Each structure stands twice: as structure tokens, then as C-alpha cells.
Amino acid sequence: MNANTNSIDKKQTLQNKDSKIEDSMLEEFFVTELKHTYWAEKHLVEALPKMEKAATTQELKNAFAEHLQATKGHVERLDKVFDMLGIKADVEKCAAMAGITDEGEDIISDTEKGTAARDVGLIFAGQKVEHCEIAAYGGLAQLAKTLSHDDIANLLEQTLSEEKEADELLSTIAEKHVNYEAAQKEA
């Protein structure tokens, strides 16, 4: 209970400062990170079909196709977040996600079509994407709470949960058979 009291006291202290928390540098940082995440999600809407097409197993193709639909929902959810903040939905390039997706394209061009090794690489790239998104949504949800945007935090946490599920699905596909197939066929 003491930790909760301290958290509440800190939140009230922030809210009682002369400048409103909405006008703070933290709020600006929050919005900037939302724009990076918005760019990342929109970029993934274009990258996931390429990953699906490059995948060998139907299970991995399906995972990428399903995550494409979820990602479109994440874009819509972020549109709603911007609307709730009363600002225009806008993007700022996310260098981290750009690098990860470039690496995914390299995996496609550097591996042989129809091989388990390509699927291993695609899963690896997909998990890097998910881990980047998990970090982004986890941080954004916490900042939203700090900034008293509780409804926004709830939306961000929904997406965070979906990103974690996607990561788990990729792990399951890899562990179930793709990694073993690649290890047996590739020397």
C-alpha cells in the first residue's frame, strides 16, 4: 500500500506543478513516440505481405497473414489515440523498425526460396519486430498512465497484449518444427 501511496503522491505532485502536464516535455516525448509507433505499424502493413509470400510453411504464412489483420487494427487503434489526444494522426520514421524490416528483406534475398532456413530467418525477423513493438507499447502505456491518459493506456495495453501473442505464436512455430527441419536439412 505504501508504494501505491508514493505513486499517487508523485502523480499529484506532477499535476500540481505550474505548467500543465499536457504541455510538458514528457507529453511531447509521448506524442513523438506515438508517431514513431504509428509509422512502424503502417510500415508493417506493407512489410507483412512480403514476409507471408516469402514464407515456406503454410503455418508461418498464416501467422503473417493473421498478424497483418491485427496490425491494421493497431493502426486504427492509434488513429483513435491521436483523436483522443485531439491531435492529427501523423508519422515520424522509426529508425529501429526501419532497420529491422530492412534486415527482414535481407533475409529473404539471402536465403533460398522454399527452405526451412528461410522460415527460421523470417521467424527471427518477425520476433525482432514484435520485441520492438512490445517495448514501444509497454513504454507508451506506462507514459499514458503517468500523463493521466488512462483510456489511452487501456488501448495501448490491448495492442501490447496482441503483440505478445504474436511473439508467442512465432516461438511456437519455430519450436514445434521449423528450427528442427532447418537443422536437419541444412549442413
Side-chain angles (χ1 to χ4, degrees), residues 51 64 100 121-131 167 170:
M51 294 174 80
F64 288 137
I100 291 169
L122 288 169
I123 289 169
F124 200 76
Q127 287 192 293
K128 283 185 176 184
V129 165
E130 295 311 321
H131 293 183
D167 179 53
L170 291 173

Side-chain angles (χ1 to χ4, degrees), residues 51-69:
M51 294 174 80
E52 176 187 356
K53 184 177 178 183
T56 301
T57 64
Q58 191 59 48
E59 187 177 20
L60 187 55
K61 286 179 180 289
N62 292 344
F64 288 137
E66 288 172 19
H67 197 59
L68 173 61
Q69 295 311 308

Side-chain angles (χ1 to χ4, degrees), residues 86-106:
I87 58 176
K88 179 182 179 261
D90 201 4
V91 298
E92 279 187 30
K93 185 175 181 177
C94 176
M97 188 61 73
I100 291 169
T101 55
D102 285 349
E103 189 176 317
E105 289 179 16
D106 288 346

Side-chain angles (χ1 to χ4, degrees), residues 13 27 34 42 75 85 145 162:
T13 301
E27 183 81 21
L34 280 172
K42 287 181 160 247
V75 170
L85 289 169
K145 289 176 187 175
E162 291 167 5

Side-chain angles (χ1 to χ4, degrees), residues 12-156:
Q12 288 172 342
T13 301
L14 282 173
Q15 291 173 338
N16 291 335
K17 292 204 175 201
D18 291 336
S19 63
K20 291 183 178 178
I21 200 164
E22 296 86 30
D23 298 328
S24 72
M25 289 177 63
L26 186 60
E27 183 81 21
E28 289 177 29
F29 178 78
F30 177 67
V31 170
T32 297
E33 291 306 312
L34 280 172
K35 289 177 181 181
H36 289 165
T37 304
Y38 193 55
W39 182 91
E41 293 288 19
K42 287 181 160 247
H43 187 65
L44 287 172
V45 167
E46 295 181 16
L48 282 165
K50 294 174 190 175
M51 294 174 80
E52 176 187 356
K53 184 177 178 183
T56 301
T57 64
Q58 191 59 48
E59 187 177 20
L60 187 55
K61 286 179 180 289
N62 292 344
F64 288 137
E66 288 172 19
H67 197 59
L68 173 61
Q69 295 311 308
T71 301
K72 289 177 180 178
H74 300 164
V75 170
E76 290 173 7
R77 209 173 274 148
L78 286 170
D79 281 329
K80 187 174 182 177
V81 167
F82 282 109
D83 188 50
M84 292 168 76
L85 289 169
I87 58 176
K88 179 182 179 261
D90 201 4
V91 298
E92 279 187 30
K93 185 175 181 177
C94 176
M97 188 61 73
I100 291 169
T101 55
D102 285 349
E103 189 176 317
E105 289 179 16
D106 288 346
I107 287 169
I108 293 169
S109 65
D110 293 346
T111 56
E112 188 177 329
K113 182 179 181 179
T115 63
R118 177 177 275 185
D119 278 359
V120 168
L122 288 169
I123 289 169
F124 200 76
Q127 287 192 293
K128 283 185 176 184
V129 165
E130 295 311 321
H131 293 183
C132 183
E133 289 182 304
I134 289 166
Y137 281 106
L140 285 169
Q142 187 56 54
L143 284 177
K145 289 176 187 175
T146 300
L147 294 165
S148 299
H149 299 309
D150 295 333
D151 290 344
I152 290 172
N154 290 337
L155 289 176
L156 296 169

